[in-house]
Amino acid sequence: MAALPSLRRLLGHRRLLSAAATATPEAVIYSIHSLSSDPSRALASFRRSAAAGQPVGSTAYNLMLRTLASDPSSAQTHFWPFLREMHDAGHSVDQGTYLAALASFKKASLSADYAALTAHYNKSREEAKSGATSAAAQAVRDLDAADLDAKLGAIGLLPLTETAVAKVLRELRDYPTKGLAFFRWAGRQQGYRHGTVAYNAMAKVLGREESVPEFWDLIHEMKAAGMHVDIDTYVKLSRNFQKRHMIREAVELYEFMMDGPFKPSQKDGPHIIRRIALAPSPDLDLAKRVVARFLAVWDKMTKELFDGIHRVLTSNGRFDEAAELVQRMRAEGHQPDNVTYSQLVYGLCKADRLDDARKVFDEMEAEGCVPDLKTWTMLIQGHCAAGDVDRALHYLTEMIDKDLDADADLLDVMVKALCSHEKVDAAYTLFVEMVDKAQLRPWQGTYKRVIDELLRINKLDEALALLRSMKVRKFPPFTEPFPPYIAKHGTVEDARDFLKALTVNTMCPAPAAYVHVLKSFFAEKRYSEAQDLLYKCPIHIRKHPHVTELFESIKVESAS
C-alpha cells in the first residue's frame, strides 16, 4: 500500500501528458519545446501537427526556427527553407528568435548566414512599418484609451484575426496599459473572440513590475476560460521576472505552471532557487515553495535542488540547518562536491567567519574533494569583501602554488579589492603578472579599471603600457580618459606617445583621435602645446577639415 501515493502521482502525470497532447496551440508549442534538444525530431513533430490541421501559429514557428538555428550544421538543409515557409505563411521572425539565431551563427562562424539573416530581419521590419498592424500599434501609442473605438476601425485591421492582434501586442510590449486597452478593444469587436494566442501575447506585455495586478487578473481570466499559458510564454515571462528581480512573481508563475498540463522542465525549479539565493537576504519561504511544487510533480530531490536550498541556508547564516541538509543529501545518494563546499565557504565569509571558511578546505581534503578554482575564488572574494586584502593575496598565491590558474573573474575580484584599498601599484603588478606572464585573458572592464586608477595617481607610462597591451590582445582600446589627462597634466611628447600607442602597424590613428587630443588641449587653454603637437602631426592630419576648423575657431575667438 505504501506505493499507492507514488502510483497516483505517476498516473496523474500521464493524464497531464495526455492532456498536453491535445490539438491546441499550447500543446503544439509544448511538443516543440520538449524536443528542442533534438531539432530533427522537433521538426518532424511540427510537420505532423501542421499536416493534421493543428493550430500552428507565430509562436510555434519562431520556437521551431530557434530550435533549427541551435544546430548550425543543418542551416542550409532546414533553417533557410523553414524560414521561407514561415514567411510565406505570414509570420515574421521575432526579436528573441533573431538574436538567438544570430548567436548560434556567430558561434559557428557562419558569417554568410549571419549577414543573410540580418538582412532578412531588417527588410521584414521595414516592410512591417507600412502594414496595418504597425499602424494600429502606433495609433494605440499615440491615442488615449477613449479614442481607440473612433480611430482603430479606419486603419484596415478589421476583420480581426488572432495573428493580427498578437502582432500589434508585440509592438506594444513597452506599453502595458495601452496594450491592455487595445486587447479589450479587440475583444469587443463583432465576429472576433480572443483565443489562447492573443491571451499569451497579452500576458507577455503585462509581465512587468508596473502591471503585476493586471497580469495576474489576465492569467486567472485565461484559466477560467479554459486556456493555458504556453511554455514559450512561461519561459520568457520567468526569465523577465528573474532579470527584473521580481522573484516572487517568478515563483508564483512556476507554481501556477506546475499545477497545469504544460509543466516547466526539471531544471527550472533549481534555477529559480539559485536566483533566490543571489539576493542579499534570500527568502527561504519562497525557496521552500519551489521545492514543494517540484516534489509534488517529480517526487524526488535532485542534486541541483539540494544545492539551491543549501546556498539559501548558508547565505542566510543558517549553518546548522545547512549541515543537516547535507546529511540528508548524503542519505539520498548525493555526495557533497565543490559546489556544496563553495557555497559553505561563501556563507561563512559573508558571516565574517573567515577562519572557519578556511577550515572548510581541510574538511574537503579529508573527504577526498580537492578545492577547485570556484572554491578558492569564494574564499579570496570573501576576504576581499571583509577588507583583508593581504590575506586574499596570500590565498591567491597558495592557490597558484597548487597548480590552479586564476581566471578573469578572480583577477577582477583582486584588482577591485586592491584599488579600493589604495593599492593601485599592487593591482597593476598583479595584472601584468597574470596577463603578460601567465597569459590570462582579462575582462575589458578590468583593463579599464586599472587604467583609470593609474591615471588617478599620475602613472601615465603604466596606463599607456596597458593601452598597448589591449591593442596586442585585440581589445577595443580604452582611449577616453587619456586626452583630458594629458591635456591637464602631460606634455606634447605624452600626447605623441598616446597617439603612437593607437598606431596599428604603420597606420596612424583616425583623425578623430587627433581632434580629441587637440580639443582637450584647447579646453585647458594650452594653445601653444596644441600648436606644437599640430606641427608634429602627419600632413593629412594638419590639412584635415576638422583640424583646420578647430584652429580657425581659436583665431576668430582671439580676434574678438
Side-chain angles (χ1 to χ4, degrees), residues 256-272:
F256 181 85
M257 293 297 289
M258 290 293 274
D259 288 340
F262 305 106
K263 302 185 186 305
S265 68
Q266 275 197 15
K267 68 182 181 181
D268 273 51
H271 181 76
I272 292 173

Side-chain angles (χ1 to χ4, degrees), residues 146-167:
D147 298 323
L148 290 178
D149 281 314
K151 299 289 184 179
L152 283 177
I155 286 178
L157 200 64
L158 302 174
L160 281 179
T161 64
E162 272 204 284
T163 298
V165 170
K167 283 183 177 181

Side-chain angles (χ1 to χ4, degrees), residues 71-296:
D71 180 19
S73 63
S74 63
Q76 297 300 327
T77 310
H78 296 300
F79 180 89
W80 291 107
F82 188 84
L83 179 57
R84 286 190 289 272
E85 175 186 328
M86 178 176 171
H87 183 265
D88 291 344
H91 301 294
S92 57
V93 178
D94 65 34
Q95 186 181 44
T97 299
Y98 167 66
L99 294 175
L102 279 189
S104 294
F105 290 157
K106 183 177 181 179
K107 185 177 179 180
S109 300
L110 297 177
S111 53
D113 295 282
Y114 187 104
L117 181 59
T118 300
H120 172 88
Y121 182 72
N122 290 337
K123 181 181 178 183
S124 298
R125 291 188 68 186
E126 286 300 316
E127 290 174 349
K129 286 179 181 178
S130 59
T133 56
S134 186
Q138 187 59 50
V140 174
R141 285 192 290 267
D142 292 342
L143 298 173
D144 293 328
D147 298 323
L148 290 178
D149 281 314
K151 299 289 184 179
L152 283 177
I155 286 178
L157 200 64
L158 302 174
L160 281 179
T161 64
E162 272 204 284
T163 298
V165 170
K167 283 183 177 181
V168 173
L169 289 172
R170 189 190 303 169
E171 294 195 38
L172 295 172
R173 57 186 173 272
D174 294 327
Y175 303 86
T177 301
K178 292 186 175 183
L180 185 58
F182 167 75
F183 181 81
R184 296 306 181 199
W185 171 85
R188 295 192 298 268
Q189 301 313 299
Q190 188 173 6
Y192 172 79
R193 182 179 179 184
H194 287 312
T196 185
V197 172
Y199 268 103
N200 274 277
M202 189 68 248
K204 291 173 188 172
V205 176
L206 291 176
R208 52 180 60 217
E209 194 167 8
E210 62 267 34
S211 51
V212 165
E214 293 82 0
F215 170 78
W216 285 113
D217 287 346
L218 185 86
I219 296 300
H220 295 309
E221 185 180 319
M222 289 177 69
K223 184 177 180 180
M227 300 179 199
H228 301 284
V229 175
D230 68 53
I231 195 67
D232 186 68
T233 298
Y234 163 75
V235 169
K236 290 175 179 175
L237 285 170
S238 184
R239 187 185 302 137
N240 189 48
F241 286 153
Q242 293 173 51
K243 184 172 126 181
R244 293 170 181 263
H245 306 292
M246 299 167 64
I247 301 301
R248 183 170 296 277
E249 283 70 31
V251 171
E252 290 177 1
L253 183 61
Y254 177 78
E255 292 174 316
F256 181 85
M257 293 297 289
M258 290 293 274
D259 288 340
F262 305 106
K263 302 185 186 305
S265 68
Q266 275 197 15
K267 68 182 181 181
D268 273 51
H271 181 76
I272 292 173
I273 292 177
R274 282 197 297 274
R275 296 293 300 185
I276 293 170
L278 291 175
S281 299
D283 192 324
L284 183 57
D285 289 335
L286 283 181
K288 287 179 176 178
R289 284 167 59 178
V290 175
V291 171
R293 280 300 195 282
F294 187 95
L295 290 175

